[in-house]
Amino acid sequence: PEFVLIDGDKSPALACPSETVISGDARSISIAAASVIAKVTRDRLMVEADLRWPGYGFAGHKGYLARVHQDALRTLGPCPIHRRCFAPVREASQALSAR
């Protein structure tokens, strides 16, 4: 890319010029379009994850920390796609280890 627009106020180290745009999805049609594409892609990945790891309800809540997801984490523990650095995942994993 010749130039990158970034939604937010933090820019990663890039090999090309970039600009951060706070509330970028409301201020830039390019950022808004990228946001929609990212959301649709993530939703599709969560439906696939639901097939691979049933019991977590990924297809329904798309990975957001809904009550059903929290309950599944406590019962089943984290699956390979859970971020271990995320506090609710880390706590569920520790609780299962303590049993």
Side-chain angles (χ1 to χ4, degrees):
E2 294 178 19
F3 189 84
V4 176
L5 287 175
I6 300 167
D7 187 14
D9 63 353
K10 294 184 176 78
S11 180
L14 300 171
C16 65
S18 65
E19 178 182 344
T20 59
V21 183
I22 296 173
S23 300
D25 55 347
R27 299 177 61 206
S28 164
I29 195 151
S30 298
I31 292 175
S35 179
V36 170
I37 291 168
K39 172 83 168 91
V40 169
T41 300
R42 184 174 195 281
D43 288 354
R44 288 180 182 157
L45 290 171
M46 290 294 99
V47 169
E48 291 174 18
D50 193 62
L51 295 172
R52 187 161 183 193
W53 295 286
Y56 295 95
F58 289 128
H61 58 72
K62 306 296 191 277
Y64 295 101
L65 196 59
R67 173 54 101 204
V68 66
H69 191 82
Q70 292 176 50
D71 294 344
L73 271 172
R74 283 191 287 275
T75 303
L76 304 172
C79 75
I81 65 169
H82 281 104
R83 291 177 294 145
R84 301 305 196 268
C85 63
F86 187 52
V89 174
R90 187 176 56 249
E91 291 163 7
S93 183
Q94 290 169 347
L96 280 176
S97 296
R99 288 185 191 173

